[in-house]
Structure formats: C-alpha cells, structure tokens
Amino acid sequence: MEMRWFLSKIQDDFRGGKINLEKTQRLLEKLDIRCSYIHVKQIFKDNDRLKQGRITIEEFRAIYRIITHREEIIEIFNTYSENRKILLASNLAQFLTQEQYAAEMSKAIAFEIIQKYEPIEEVRKAHQMSLEGFTRYMDSRECLLFKNECGKVYQDMTHPLNDYFISSSHNTYLVSDQLLGPSDLWGYVSALVKGCRCLEIDCWDGAQNEPVVYHGYTLTSKLLFKTVIQAIHKYAFMTSDYPVVLSLENHCSTAQQEVMADNLQATFGESLLSDMLDDFPDTLPSPEALKFKILVKNKKIGTLKETRERKGSDKRGDNQDKETGVKKLPGVMLFKKKKTRKLKIALALSDLVIYTKAEKFKSFQHSRLYQQFNENNSIGETQARKLSKLRVHEFIFHTRKFITRIYPKATRADSSNFNPQEFWNIGCQMVALNFQTPGLPMDLQNGKFLDNGGSGYILKPHFLRESKSYFNPSNIKEGMPITLTIRLISGIQLPLTHSSSNKGDSLVIIEVFGVPNDQMKQQTRVIKKNAFSPRWNETFTFIIHVPELALIRFVVESQGLIAGNEFLGQYTLPLLCMNKGYRRIPLFSRMGESLEPASLFVYVWYVR
C-alpha cells in the first residue's frame, strides 16, 4: 500500500529516465519532506552508484527512506500499532494521551490529525494512519517543544505597567559597535519585529535645526530624528499591539527639542500618549489600557496636573532649568558651576512625558520617600549588580513599585551584553540589551520573550509583585520545586561546520538559567561522524526551585579537539512553556535565524 502510493507520487518524474540532485531536492519537497540541501547533496552522492550525478527511481527510494524513516519514530509507531503497519484512530488517541499528555483527547481529535497529516488517501479515508502520516505529524508544529498556548497572549494584561517584564533594547540605532559602527534604521525595525517594546533614541543637535540620532562623541554615523520615528511608526505594532516606550537620551538644545516634539506629534498623531488616561491616577495604567500607544520617556518638568492645564497652549520658547525648575527666557545664557551639568527642558517635549518620567536614581530610601508612581529609573549594570548583592530586599521592593531600566556599562564599546537573568530575578522590568550583538544574553532575551505571544510584555511572577513577599533569589525558602527530566533521543539534520561533511562530531549541552541555585548544565557524549541523524538516548534530570524564572537552553556543538568546540545552533525557552512528551526542538543560528529543518528530538516530563 505504501509502496503503491510512493510510486504513484514519483513515477512521472522518472519518465525521462534518471534525475539529478536539483530534481531530487524538488521531488522531496513535493512529498512534503523537509531536508537541507547540504545533507541531500551528501546522501545523493552516497547513493549515486555510478557516480554520474543522476539517480534511478530505486536510488531515489533509498534516499527517501534514509531521510524519512527514522528508527526512533518507527519504534514509537510500532509500540502503538497493532500490526506494525497502521495506527487506528484509537491507537493514535492512546499515544496522545499516554505519551503527549493531551488532557482532552477523543477519537474526533485523532480523526482531525489523521485528515491533516496522512498522505495516503485510502488510509486516510479509513480513519487510519500509516508510518508516512505519523512521521509527518511528529515533524509538524503540533509536536514542537514550545507550548502552542504560550504563542498567544494569554496572561492578564490589566495589571499596572510596573508588574511586567518589558522587552527593551539599548542603543537601538547601532548595528555593530559603539565607537565606529553605523547607525541604521534597521536597528529599530529588527528590534520591533522581535517584539521589543522599549527603544532607545540618542538625540543630538543637527544641522539646519534637524535633531539627529547617533552615539555622541564617537564616529558612529548619524540618522535624522524624524526619519527614525517614521520608521518606528511604520513597524511599532506589527508584532505586538502593546505600548512602545521611546527612551530619549536627550542632548538637544531647547530649540531642537521643540522640533522633536513637533516631529513626534506629526508622526504619531493620536497614537502618541500626551495626557493622563484618568483624572487622579496613583498607579500606572495597564498594557491593555495603552494598546497601540507610544509613550515618551524623558525628563519632565512639573506635575501631570500642570501638564493637563497647559494642554492646547503655545509652548514655543518656553523652557525650564531641570535642576532648579526656574523658568528661563529664550536666549538667556545659563550659567553653570564647574563640573555641574544642567539641562534645559523644552515644555513642548516635557509635556509629552506622562507615565514614563526619567528620574535619576539616588537611593532606595529616597525613592521610598519621594519617588512618584510615574517616575522611572535607569541604573547601570555595575551599580545594579552591586545593589542586588548588598540590598536585594530593597531592590525587589523598589521594582514592585517603579519601572527600573538596567543598561550595559559604558566600557562595553564592542556592544557586548551582560546576562539579563540576574536582573530579571529581582524584578527589573526593562533589562536593556544590545539587540545587534548575538550570543548567550540575546538567546536568553529571545527565549524569555517567546512567552505571552511574543508581545514584549510578560507578567512578573506573583512573588515579584506582591508586597507581602520576602522573595530572595539567592536564598529560596518557599515554593514547590519542579523535577524536570529530559531524554535527549536524537538530532535531525544538524547544521554543519565549515570544515565538515555531514559526518561531524556532535554533542548537546542543556543549560538551566534562573535563580543562582537553579543554574546548571549537563551535556551528552559526542556522537562521531554523524551530523545527519545522531542518536544519544541519554536522560538528564534537573531540580528547579523557582520554575517561574527558569529558562532552558539547548546548545548543539561540533567537537573540535584543536580549536575548541564550534557552535552549531541553539534553542532557548521558558521552562513553563515546555510541552511534555515526544517533542521536536527547532534550532537557531548565533544570529537568531531559523536553521530548519535542523532540530533535536526529545522526551520531556516534569512534576511538581
């Protein structure tokens, strides 16, 4: 039956005789078999007996079997098939309940899966599934490790903004290093497409009264401010409906700040939040209430009430000394003491700052006594790390009430990143990373924000929101740990190094990131000379005390005895977004690009 179906699908392609490599690849695609060209090329070469670059129908059948008939899938199929040839709908339902932990399973759902994935018509009509269908189902999106539910916005989005982790970038305009690299609109576009909700814009006076965006006092190239915000306007809500915060690093004169205010209003129109949503607020509004809104984060003069009273009035030439709050006349010089830096704020720009007022962090005690609900702090990673070690309870108390942004230290001229996990552990909402720099920190960033539909907003765990909690990431005393077990079964068409054929030496590292006590990694043995279908069948167990903050990272490497191991691909996701059962893990490159069909095949289960 399977043979008849197979021949009926391919025989027309062989009417003209043998076929070459390109036609082989197209024929596999026609059969809904995903295969990377580089692996097909090697398998084609191995099965082309006459070495003429053309193969017979029998040779194609051998290639097809090598690519599709994976031993580990056949073993599962045979376990649930009564005759090792087909699965009845009841057999499939049993597999889904027992192995895939499907809570609500019925024959009707099994019928749907059969209709969707079974390619052989007579088998499909009998409501049965062949190995061909089962293989296609196990390779589908329905069997991915990442939970389908987490791919949608499912969290309560009506909490105040300070109750969420917010996807945030640092120096968003740069696409390489901080000193010489180009400033590029692509920095903003790619960050927004990845779900980033807080963008940094470094603003300076430009020629012809046009503010520019670049990294001041360096040789990075310049962009017009208005061009930057036009690009943001175009892409702001393409990936997520929830608010975008423009974090202005403002070095402009008041005249050019007024130009910025005009640009912001002209570009964003009604999307720009320029007034309070409520009359007398004492808490921040929710992401839900701010859907499709642009928020300006900058220094601000006076109160929200005073801002509302000025609404509609002409503010041109009206500016104030930020430190004294004394109104200054246009053109009057501002005398400064040596080594003090005062910034004039244009009221036109100041009045566009509503819920995200930038306020210099002085101390936790000062914030407790004087900080207003709409005032946010930016703290450098070095100071933040020190405070997290010396005053962790005060830090967590602070992040419960106020949006806190952590940014990379100035000495990271190469645009490198810190590990964001240590600051998520204490509830910092905006942990700003250089999105242009690939590596572990951005893998964690991308993995964490897969959750909640990739919306860029993730509700913080209750113990980082509730005032009665005494949570300390370095001293866990309460909670129910999770025992996570992962059986790493096999690899599927792993990426190849520049130096290897599909006979690379592969290993997998499984890492846990979370509170310090949960951080650990384990690795498989090396499978020699097989990057196409390595089989490990190794089981790893992890005890995770704070699953709500845990991320799991799978890294595939090729063993290198002289130059060290070479990174091949990785996948990172939140522990609580992991499906149980037999699952496929897609791999991504260092730059975050999909390496499909390269993947890992695992069996996962966890209990609390």
Side-chain angles (χ1 to χ4, degrees):
M1 183 169 55
E2 284 185 38
M3 187 62 172
R4 270 202 320 274
W5 164 80
F6 181 72
L7 290 173
S8 72
K9 285 286 184 182
I10 67 167
Q11 55 196 8
D12 284 352
D13 295 86
F14 285 91
R15 289 206 191 281
K18 296 181 178 182
I19 63 171
N20 63 14
L21 173 61
E22 282 66 32
K23 199 159 185 186
T24 299
Q25 178 82 13
R26 285 201 300 274
L27 190 47
L28 287 166
E29 288 166 3
K30 177 180 160 185
L31 290 163
D32 295 323
I33 299 302
R34 299 177 312 138
C35 196
S36 73
Y37 180 79
I38 198 157
H39 280 298
V40 173
K41 185 179 177 182
Q42 187 64 44
I43 297 166
F44 182 95
K45 187 179 169 186
D46 292 345
N47 285 271
D48 176 12
R49 287 193 291 271
L50 298 178
K51 306 301 177 198
Q52 295 175 340
R54 297 170 73 78
I55 58 168
T56 64
I57 195 166
E58 276 306 311
E59 287 167 335
F60 177 79
R61 183 171 172 237
I63 290 170
Y64 177 83
R65 286 181 68 84
I66 289 166
I67 292 170
T68 59
H69 290 196
R70 289 167 32 219
E71 283 300 317
E72 60 272 36
I73 299 295
I74 294 169
E75 285 168 18
I76 302 165
F77 180 84
N78 288 344
T79 301
Y80 286 88
S81 168
E82 292 169 18
N83 60 3
R84 298 189 161 213
K85 290 181 181 175
I86 56 148
L87 286 175
L88 303 173
S90 58
N91 301 147
L92 179 59
Q94 187 186 8
F95 164 75
L96 294 167
T97 305
Q98 291 184 5
E99 305 289 4
Q100 303 300 78
Y101 297 88
E104 294 177 19
M105 182 43 59
S106 62
K107 275 193 181 179
I109 294 171
F111 287 160
E112 280 177 33
I113 291 170
I114 289 166
Q115 286 301 311
K116 194 170 179 182
Y117 296 104
E118 178 52 57
I120 304 171
E121 189 177 1
E122 58 192 289
V123 178
R124 190 170 63 244
K125 282 183 175 174
H127 299 307
Q128 295 170 349
M129 188 174 246
S130 66
L131 177 61
E132 294 288 344
F134 189 67
T135 298
R136 283 160 176 75
Y137 170 65
M138 294 301 288
D139 193 46
S140 74
R141 293 192 62 80
E142 293 183 47
C143 292
L144 287 174
L145 180 63
F146 184 68
K147 275 183 186 171
N148 230 359
E149 310 89 86
C150 295
K152 306 179 184 79
V153 175
Y154 67 94
Q155 295 177 346
D156 183 351
M157 301 303 281
T158 61
H159 286 254
L161 280 180
N162 48 293
D163 276 357
Y164 296 84
F165 294 119
I166 302 168
S167 179
S168 306
S169 76
H170 174 251
N171 287 355
T172 320
Y173 48 89
L174 294 180
V175 290
S176 65
D177 68 70
Q178 312 272 313
L179 301 177
L180 301 167
S183 303
D184 199 302
L185 288 176
W186 178 244
Y188 289 99
V189 173
S190 62
L192 287 166
V193 167
K194 286 177 185 170
C196 183
R197 299 289 87 189
C198 179
L199 307 170
E200 187 177 29
I201 311 181
D202 218 337
C203 312
W204 298 80
D205 281 357
Q208 298 173 313
N209 208 31
E210 284 285 2
V212 292
V213 174
Y214 82 111
H215 201 198
Y217 310 117
T218 67
L219 298 176
T220 56
S221 55
K222 298 174 182 177
L223 300 167
L224 287 179
F225 177 77
K226 67 179 179 186
T227 310
V228 166
I229 63 170
Q230 283 163 2
I232 292 169
H233 179 244
K234 186 174 179 182
Y235 290 92
F237 303 108
M238 196 167 273
T239 299
S240 169
D241 300 348
Y242 293 98
V244 172
V245 178
L246 305 183
S247 183
L248 303 184
E249 193 68 31
N250 184 4
H251 307 275
C252 290
S253 63
T254 52
Q256 295 211 11
Q257 286 180 46
E258 287 176 352
V259 174
M260 287 166 62
D262 288 344
N263 289 161
L264 287 163
Q265 287 169 310
T267 302
F268 294 115
E270 288 298 306
S271 297
L272 185 69
L273 188 80
S274 55
D275 194 10
M276 298 177 283
L277 298 183
D278 303 308
D279 287 341
F280 302 105
D282 59 357
T283 58
L284 291 174
S286 68
E288 191 64 35
L290 292 167
K291 262 187 172 179
F292 302 109
K293 288 293 183 187
I294 302 288
L295 280 63
V296 175
K297 181 173 175 288
N298 190 59
K299 290 187 166 55
K300 181 177 178 63
I301 297 153
T303 65
L304 288 171
K305 186 170 177 286
E306 288 165 345
T307 297
R308 177 170 277 187
E309 286 165 357
R310 281 192 295 270
K311 199 163 174 65
S313 63
D314 184 12
K315 300 159 194 170
R316 288 183 181 281
D318 209 348
N319 52 76
Q320 294 185 9
D321 180 321
K322 173 66 182 86
E323 290 203 358
T324 62
V326 176
K327 195 169 175 181
K328 302 288 178 184
L329 294 172
V332 174
M333 282 186 68
L334 191 50
F335 294 99
K336 304 175 191 167
K337 289 180 184 175
K338 204 172 182 184
K339 289 190 180 175
T340 63
R341 183 171 166 271
K342 292 181 181 176
L343 178 71
K344 278 183 173 180
I345 306 288
L347 277 182
L349 184 60
S350 171
D351 282 358
L352 297 180
V353 177
I354 307 299
Y355 296 119
T356 44
K357 176 185 176 184
E359 193 64 30
K360 186 175 173 61
F361 175 76
K362 291 174 182 161
S363 70
F364 293 132
Q365 184 184 11
H366 182 274
S367 295
R368 261 198 318 274
L369 293 172
Y370 303 111
Q371 193 159 328
Q372 301 299 304
F373 77 96
N374 67 323
E375 293 177 340
N376 318 152
N377 306 124
S378 284
I379 308 175
E381 63 166 296
T382 307
Q383 184 188 11
R385 191 170 291 119
K386 191 174 175 184
L387 289 168
S388 72
K389 288 181 170 61
L390 298 175
R391 303 191 180 283
V392 65
H393 286 297
E394 288 179 86
F395 209 146
I396 293 173
F397 182 84
H398 183 83
T399 60
R400 281 194 195 111
K401 294 182 69 177
F402 307 114
I403 290 179
T404 305
R405 179 176 173 271
I406 310 296
Y407 60 91
K409 59 188 176 187
T411 52
R412 292 184 182 273
D414 59 351
S415 294
S416 61
N417 283 312
F418 52 83
N419 183 332
Q421 186 70 48
E422 60 181 314
F423 301 115
W424 290 328
N425 286 346
I426 53 174
C428 296
Q429 293 86 349
M430 295 178 170
V431 181
L433 297 180
N434 292 301
F435 269 48
Q436 73 273 27
T437 307
L440 169 65
M442 275 309 297
D443 291 346
L444 299 181
Q445 160 76 25
N446 293 334
K448 186 173 188 68
F449 286 97
L450 283 174
D451 199 1
N452 205 30
S455 63
Y457 285 84
I458 295 172
L459 187 63
K460 294 198 286 184
H462 67 93
F463 50 79
L464 289 173
R465 291 184 274 121
E466 293 168 2
S467 56
K468 290 178 182 174
S469 168
Y470 292 97
F471 177 75
N472 178 350
S474 299
N475 186 12
I476 305 300
K477 292 178 178 173
E478 52 191 66
M480 293 278 289
I482 273 182
T483 301
L484 168 68
T485 305
I486 297 170
R487 177 154 62 95
L488 194 72
I489 301 169
S490 61
I492 304 158
Q493 299 183 47
L494 298 182
L496 300 174
T497 64
H498 299 300
S499 56
S500 69
S501 65
N502 63 354
K503 296 182 168 51
D505 301 340
S506 314
L507 67 128
V508 179
I509 300 164
I510 304 174
E511 301 174 286
V512 180
F513 293 87
V515 299
N517 209 23
D518 287 343
Q519 309 240 130
M520 72 177 297
K521 65 169 143 182
Q522 301 188 52
Q523 77 174 55
T524 65
R525 68 189 189 282
V526 176
I527 300 291
K528 297 279 188 184
K529 298 184 176 176
N530 184 356
F532 179 71
S533 58
R535 287 192 76 182
W536 289 281
N537 243 336
E538 293 184 53
T539 301
F540 304 95
T541 300
F542 304 87
I543 307 293
I544 298 172
H545 299 85
V546 187
E548 296 86 349
L549 289 171
L551 297 171
I552 313 296
R553 183 173 184 248
F554 298 84
V555 184
V556 183
E557 293 182 352
S558 177
Q559 187 184 46
L561 298 176
I562 299 168
N565 291 358
E566 188 172 340
F567 173 93
L568 296 181
Q570 70 84 35
Y571 186 70
T572 306
L573 79 168
L575 166 63
L576 297 181
C577 290
M578 285 170 66
N579 272 315
K580 295 178 183 177
Y582 288 103
R583 300 293 167 183
R584 188 171 63 83
I585 303 174
L587 294 176
F588 288 80
S589 72
R590 192 175 290 284
M591 296 301 295
E593 296 150 341
S594 171
L595 294 170
E596 290 272 23
S599 47
L600 298 173
F601 187 56
V602 296
Y603 187 80
V604 172
W605 69 100
Y606 50 88
V607 288
R608 198 166 198 170

